[in-house]
Amino acid sequence: EEKLLLQDAAVVGKVFWLGALERIGRRDRREAELFLHSLERKEFVRRERRSTVGEESQYVFSHLLVGDVAYSQIPRAARSEKHQGAAEWIESLGRSEDHAEMVAHHYLTALDLDRAAGVESEELKTRARLQLREAGSRAFALTAFPAARRFYGAAVELWPADEEGRADLLFRFARAAH
């Protein structure tokens, strides 16, 4: 169970939160806290005094290699599902404009993993392209034009040619590119 918890944490990143682990692993919050406490005693993770996410307990890996090894041990098929869970947890925090890049990253990673496994999910494609557009808009608003171009470009690749909103997306992409 501790290994699975570390793997779920590695999907989130070097910094992770109890709520994310609860959502990704579909586990009981109290149980996750007990395992995290055990991992803390073993010096795999460290609890931060302050959290950047509201009332959530925030943790970090004691060393980056712990997270890297844990992530590499996740079977590819499971990685996609875990990244989707991470994206859904981040979305549940609200203020989507503040989290657009992280959500887009997780959906895009899940989509890439599914493609590598030969699996296509239209629902995942739709979520990814909408979040990429949102992340592009956020980056553009912050005058981070290279990031906006990257996000919009990825959204264009996923957007069906005949679907509503493509022309607007192409305009946004061109504006960010120039």
Side-chain angles (χ1 to χ4, degrees), residues 4-29 32-33 36 51-59 61 81-93 102 106:
L4 291 173
L5 193 74
L6 284 174
Q7 290 174 344
D8 291 349
V11 169
V12 178
K14 178 173 173 39
V15 177
F16 55 93
W17 298 267
L18 180 59
L21 302 180
E22 183 182 13
R23 168 62 188 91
I24 293 169
R26 294 176 180 85
R27 62 177 54 87
D28 177 66
R29 187 175 186 89
E33 282 179 312
L36 281 169
S51 178
T52 56
V53 177
E55 301 296 316
E56 289 291 339
S57 298
Q58 180 172 308
Y59 294 83
F61 284 104
E81 186 177 318
K82 290 178 185 292
H83 276 286
Q84 289 178 60
E88 290 166 3
W89 178 77
I90 294 167
E91 284 178 310
S92 75
L93 297 175
M102 288 189 297
H106 285 293

Side-chain angles (χ1 to χ4, degrees), residues 1-177:
E1 283 297 319
E2 289 177 353
K3 181 178 176 180
L4 291 173
L5 193 74
L6 284 174
Q7 290 174 344
D8 291 349
V11 169
V12 178
K14 178 173 173 39
V15 177
F16 55 93
W17 298 267
L18 180 59
L21 302 180
E22 183 182 13
R23 168 62 188 91
I24 293 169
R26 294 176 180 85
R27 62 177 54 87
D28 177 66
R29 187 175 186 89
R30 181 73 182 127
E31 178 183 286
E33 282 179 312
L34 291 173
F35 287 126
L36 281 169
H37 183 67
S38 174
L39 289 167
E40 230 181 327
R41 283 194 318 264
K42 295 174 185 175
E43 297 184 5
F44 285 109
V45 300
R46 184 179 70 245
R47 184 175 180 171
E48 299 283 88
R49 292 180 191 261
R50 295 185 184 200
S51 178
T52 56
V53 177
E55 301 296 316
E56 289 291 339
S57 298
Q58 180 172 308
Y59 294 83
V60 297
F61 284 104
S62 297
H63 196 284
L64 280 177
L65 287 176
V66 174
D68 290 346
V69 169
Y71 188 82
S72 70
Q73 293 179 341
I74 304 170
R76 268 199 180 181
R79 284 184 198 174
S80 173
E81 186 177 318
K82 290 178 185 292
H83 276 286
Q84 289 178 60
E88 290 166 3
W89 178 77
I90 294 167
E91 284 178 310
S92 75
L93 297 175
R95 295 181 51 169
S96 62
E97 66 278 356
D98 290 341
H99 309 292
E101 290 182 34
M102 288 189 297
V103 174
H105 161 76
H106 285 293
Y107 279 135
L108 197 54
T109 302
L111 189 62
D112 289 344
L113 289 165
D114 278 358
R115 283 181 178 157
V119 177
E120 287 286 324
S121 167
E122 286 304 315
E123 179 185 347
L124 181 56
K125 257 189 197 177
T126 300
R127 285 178 159 190
R129 74 172 182 248
L130 293 173
Q131 284 302 320
L132 286 163
R133 182 182 64 187
E134 180 74 23
S137 296
R138 175 71 171 161
F140 190 87
L142 296 172
T143 65
F145 302 121
R149 183 176 56 239
R150 190 175 66 253
F151 288 127
Y152 284 143
V156 166
E157 288 179 24
L158 296 174
W159 213 279
D162 59 345
E163 191 166 312
E164 185 180 330
R166 183 171 172 86
D168 177 61
L169 180 62
L170 288 169
F171 176 74
R172 291 179 191 204
F173 174 67
R175 205 168 67 172

